Amino acid sequence: MIDWEEMAARGGASWVESANDPDGGFPLDNLPYCVFTCGDRRHPRPGIRIGSLILDLAGASRSGILEGLDHSVLAACHAHTLNKLMACEPAMLAALRTRLLHLLHARADQATRGAMGVLLSPVAESTLLKPVDPPNFTDFYASIDHATNVGRIFRPDTPLLPNYKFVPIGYHGRASSIVVSGTEIRRPSGQAKPASGGVPALGPSRSLDYEVEIGLYMGQGNALGVPIGVASADEHIFGISLVNDWSARDIQSWEYQPLGPFLGKSFATSVSPWVVPLAALKPFRVPAALRASGDPDPLDYLWNPDDQHSGAIDLVVEVRLLTSAMRNAGAEPHRLSRANLRDLYWTPAQLIAHHTSNGCNLMPGDLLATGTISGPHQDSAGCLLELTVGGGKPVVLPNGERRSALEDGDEVILQGYCRRDGYPKISLGECRGTVDPAR
Ligand code: MN
């Protein structure tokens, strides 16, 4: 007797051979969602990835192999984005995941495999589209290492502002300019002060930067006026993705006082095409990051014993850079940083509890990004501003090129994955973007 609940959290071979490579990142335990087209599948549709293949959920819904699942789920499988799936009851989505595990498991019979086979397309031949149209985008500032490093550049004596250890700091971002991995990023123009001083002028940004972040996509939201508590916050997370919060530092530094980020951020935000369900991350849940002695305890509405015990996620994020010169020379992308999501000062549940503590209503598909993920080391800084200490110490690439800001033709590649002994690797895939010249 197979324990499918256990299977949903751990292990299991699939009859899809490419899923069984323990380092492949897309085993039966992952099953991330996407929206794709491929060949005759011309209309965008939800899919789930298994190994090197994508299962067409619209086709699956039509074929009868998902029979018995809730109508809301079956209908959502025909939408052009994942938003409708994200609005479904968590229990109904868990039933979909369990069904897919059955159908793709090595023990599935020949008839099942035959019915499934026609619904699979190679990832390599598919076009991956923006998976979600987030109604809202919020960006936090949850890495204390990032906040400290950036603060130190501007305020050497008091890098962290006094509210940091009490309030999960965030701002409302722009949802309309979210683009999927692979979309070119047009260098923004904006108003900035010349480095030499004098009056500000409008022109192409001279200090374009990336920020490596993890995005939480919301499942079912909350009614206006009704906060979500830390204890139930995870039930509202549909899944996670990689996020690159492109930032024009010159525009940002001139505009941000007194109301915070605006045009230095809103020109583009990239997301990875895969949305990894929270269920796939269960084996990688770890205690909330230890607070330094002397730090205040979280206020009651942000504190929950279960969340402290296993609310964080052990997930590695890496950033690589490929310049035009490197590309032309056939060089490999160069790794700029590696950090871990578990080091954030706030857990995902705390971010949600804080976001809704004033009654603000979250909606299915809303994107809540963590803020730049940095760690305590020099090679764990999640943006160039921090890596180069405000631009003063340019990064030197293997071919001798230097960067304190992104140049046209530079491609930034984010990767994310979970590893733990005894479990297959779970990958978030990649989030890529290449800088195009200003218009
Ligand atoms: Mn950010």
Side-chain angles (χ1 to χ4, degrees):
M1 185 71 191
I2 301 173
D3 180 344
W4 292 103
E5 284 299 312
E6 172 66 10
M7 185 69 68
R10 124 160 244 191
S14 172
W15 54 267
V16 176
E17 280 300 323
S18 59
N20 299 330
D21 171 1
D23 292 318
F26 296 98
L28 197 55
D29 325 47
N30 192 346
L31 303 185
Y33 290 90
C34 67
V35 170
F36 77 108
T37 60
C38 185
D40 287 345
R41 301 189 167 98
R42 280 176 310 225
H43 299 293
R45 64 197 59 209
I48 59 129
R49 179 164 179 175
I50 174 82
S52 61
L53 303 174
I54 301 174
L55 175 72
D56 173 2
L57 284 181
S61 171
R62 211 176 292 116
S63 75
I65 59 172
L66 301 181
E67 205 180 353
L69 294 179
D70 190 73
H71 274 293
S72 63
V73 170
L74 295 178
C77 289
H78 294 281
H80 289 194
T81 67
L82 301 179
N83 291 60
K84 284 195 169 141
L85 272 168
M86 291 174 161
C88 292
E89 290 268 352
M92 303 305 161
L93 290 167
L96 170 63
R97 184 172 170 81
T98 303
R99 176 70 62 88
L100 293 169
L101 284 163
H102 275 85
L103 294 169
L104 292 165
H105 194 269
R107 298 193 194 192
D109 60 28
Q110 281 303 331
T112 300
R113 296 182 193 198
M116 297 287 281
V118 297
L119 299 169
L120 294 166
S121 313
V123 173
E125 292 169 22
S126 301
T127 302
L128 296 165
L129 304 168
K130 184 163 88 164
V132 186
D133 264 329
N136 299 282
F137 170 39
T138 301
D139 198 21
F140 284 97
Y141 198 51
S143 164
I144 192 169
D145 293 303
H146 172 68
T148 305
N149 292 338
V150 170
R152 190 175 291 123
I153 295 167
F154 301 108
R155 297 176 303 275
D157 297 329
T158 53
L160 267 193
L161 292 168
N163 58 1
Y164 189 84
K165 292 177 177 177
F166 291 93
V167 184
I169 302 292
Y171 71 96
H172 287 290
R174 185 79 192 164
S176 65
S177 50
I178 292 172
V179 297
V180 73
S181 172
T183 307
E184 287 79 10
I185 302 302
R186 175 78 59 186
R187 178 180 297 276
S189 285
Q191 189 184 134
K193 285 270 259 191
S196 53
V199 294
L202 185 83
S205 170
R206 290 162 194 260
S207 48
L208 187 58
D209 201 354
Y210 62 84
E211 293 185 342
V212 58
E213 309 194 8
I214 290 293
L216 313 169
Y217 282 110
M218 297 305 298
Q220 290 194 324
N222 55 311
L224 183 62
V226 183
I228 296 172
V230 187
S232 59
D234 274 4
E235 295 162 24
H236 293 268
I237 301 173
F238 179 92
I240 70 168
S241 281
L242 292 160
V243 173
N244 185 342
D245 179 26
W246 303 94
S247 300
R249 301 301 182 194
D250 44 357
I251 300 172
Q252 185 185 357
S253 63
W254 174 232
E255 75 177 0
Y256 85 102
Q257 288 176 317
L259 287 185
F262 186 35
L263 302 182
K265 298 277 192 179
S266 61
F267 58 94
T269 305
S270 298
V271 295
S272 51
W274 312 109
V275 180
V276 173
L278 203 63
L281 302 171
K282 207 172 168 191
F284 309 98
R285 301 305 293 259
V286 290
L290 207 58
R291 294 187 159 214
S293 67
D295 280 10
D297 284 335
L299 297 187
D300 281 349
Y301 79 100
L302 295 173
W303 199 90
N304 172 273
D306 293 334
D307 184 52
Q308 291 295 307
H309 178 259
S310 56
I313 303 170
D314 182 3
L315 187 155
V316 175
V317 290
E318 296 179 346
V319 182
R320 285 176 172 76
L321 179 66
L322 184 69
T323 68
S324 294
M326 291 164 71
R327 192 179 305 113
N328 293 338
E332 288 294 307
H334 175 69
R335 198 182 80 214
L336 295 175
S337 73
R338 175 187 287 160
N340 197 306
L341 185 65
R342 69 183 296 170
D343 291 330
L344 296 188
Y345 201 72
W346 305 103
T347 65
Q350 287 175 318
L351 298 179
I352 290 168
H354 181 68
H355 202 314
T356 60
S357 61
N358 67 344
C360 172
N361 51 330
L362 297 176
M363 300 171 71
D366 274 0
L367 180 62
L368 275 52
T370 54
T372 308
I373 303 169
S374 297
H377 308 295
Q378 178 57 29
D379 62 355
S380 56
C383 63
L384 282 175
L385 172 71
E386 208 179 318
L387 266 184
T388 65
V389 197
K393 290 185 184 168
V395 171
V396 182
L397 300 170
N399 65 358
E401 285 186 285
R402 291 164 171 265
R403 287 290 184 277
S404 51
L406 296 173
E407 295 192 4
D408 293 344
D410 283 357
E411 183 175 26
V412 178
I413 304 154
L414 312 183
Q415 294 173 327
Y417 57 86
C418 297
R419 276 188 198 280
R420 179 178 164 190
D421 283 348
Y423 293 82
K425 176 182 173 184
I426 297 291
S427 176
L428 272 63
E430 290 186 335
C431 181
R432 290 173 172 259
T434 303
V435 178
D436 270 358
R439 194 173 290 283

